[in-house]
Amino acid sequence: NAGVTQTPKFQVLKTGQSMTLQCAQDMNHNSMYWYRQDPGMGLRLIYYSASEGTTDKGEVPNGYNVSRLNKREFSLRLESAAPSQTSVYFCASRDRPSTDTQYFGPGTRLTVL
Amino acid sequence: AQSVTQLDSQVPVFEEAPVELRCNYSSSVSVYLFWYVQYPNQGLQLLLKYLSGSTLVKGINGFEAEFNKSQTSFHLRKPSVHISDTAEYFCAVSEESGNTGKLIFGQGTTLQVKP
């Protein structure tokens, strides 16, 4: 099992450009999450999806959109990138609620110039 | 709303010494508690969690944590650290009800183990 995979690993954008970060999991988990990690701030939840076909906002959703394409895939889109979106982005999926463990991907390091 | 405070941003320690990483949380509802570890240039992985039951929780790699409800703390301990424990450690909480699994993280503590 690959677990949670993310593409790309690195990306540099100019202000105003758009891009989509891809995430896929092969563990048959219902819930998936997008976080951003900034120095000294820990991880903050951007969006999550409790199950296929549903999405909801987290702490810092402004400037982002998401799509839960199917049970495996959950993508994060930046429509018009801003320097404040320079960050490391992590996707995670969660196993069943009774054990409540999230499994994280390796991350995407995004720089917006 | 919940919040998590990790009281030390960096903890330097010599190899084979004991270590404690401190975590306090604030919440008006019951929460689950977690410690995640992030090795350099990697994603996070679960170290241990408290969902219910015994307040002393044992995790991977010899780590343990104790849930103290009255002090709203969940400090992480290891009796003897190794160089390989050098990493960033995150304390996190999620609401027990609602079942969304949404995590609120602390700011992180960098553990630096010196030879």
Side-chain angles (χ1 to χ4, degrees):
Chain A
N1 286 353
V4 179
T5 57
Q6 293 183 237
T7 55
K9 285 187 172 24
F10 301 94
Q11 184 72 46
V12 178
L13 294 178
K14 295 180 180 178
T15 297
Q17 287 185 317
S18 62
M19 79 161 295
T20 300
L21 282 65
Q22 306 286 354
C23 172
Q25 53 93 6
D26 62 1
M27 296 174 281
N28 201 36
H29 292 165
N30 284 319
S31 301
M32 297 185 73
Y33 308 82
W34 275 106
Y35 297 91
R36 59 177 289 172
Q37 181 180 21
D38 301 294
M41 302 188 72
L43 282 79
R44 292 176 293 168
L45 182 66
I46 306 171
Y47 270 94
Y48 71 100
S49 170
S51 61
E52 184 179 351
T54 68
T55 61
D56 209 344
K57 296 178 181 179
E59 295 175 76
V60 289
N62 291 346
Y64 305 95
N65 286 302
V66 289
S67 295
R68 183 73 182 268
L69 305 169
N70 47 56
K71 193 171 186 178
R72 289 186 66 248
E73 298 171 289
F74 188 37
S75 62
L76 179 72
R77 182 159 178 85
L78 287 70
E79 292 290 352
S80 179
S84 61
Q85 294 177 306
T86 293
S87 188
V88 182
Y89 291 86
F90 288 99
C91 177
S93 67
R94 184 180 70 148
D95 65 3
R96 59 191 185 279
S98 58
T99 53
D100 207 0
T101 299
Q102 291 194 22
Y103 295 84
F104 285 78
T108 294
R109 188 173 295 273
L110 175 66
T111 301
V112 183
L113 302 175
Chain B
Q2 296 87 43
S3 66
V4 178
T5 302
Q6 292 183 239
L7 297 158
D8 307 291
S9 59
Q10 295 191 30
V11 174
V13 64
F14 286 105
E15 195 173 18
E16 298 183 8
V19 70
E20 178 180 81
L21 306 184
R22 297 179 294 166
C23 172
N24 286 100
Y25 70 93
S26 172
S27 177
S28 57
V29 298
S30 294
V31 294
Y32 297 140
L33 296 141
F34 306 83
W35 277 97
Y36 281 85
V37 60
Q38 183 181 32
Y39 298 104
N41 299 312
Q42 294 187 27
L44 281 71
Q45 65 180 88
L46 182 71
L47 206 52
L48 49 79
K49 61 188 173 187
Y50 173 79
L51 303 183
S52 65
S54 172
T55 57
L56 182 62
V57 179
K58 294 189 185 299
I60 61 171
N61 301 338
F63 285 92
E64 64 180 33
E66 185 151 24
F67 169 49
N68 188 320
K69 191 172 183 178
S70 62
Q71 297 188 2
T72 60
S73 68
F74 191 53
H75 301 331
L76 181 69
R77 300 185 182 97
K78 186 170 182 177
S80 174
V81 295
H82 302 289
I83 295 286
S84 58
D85 292 323
T86 295
E88 190 156 22
Y89 293 77
F90 293 95
C91 182
V93 302
S94 68
E95 264 191 43
E96 193 174 313
S97 65
N99 202 21
T100 63
K102 293 190 292 182
L103 290 172
I104 303 296
F105 284 89
Q107 302 91 327
T109 297
T110 300
L111 177 63
Q112 302 162 323
V113 181
K114 304 176 185 179

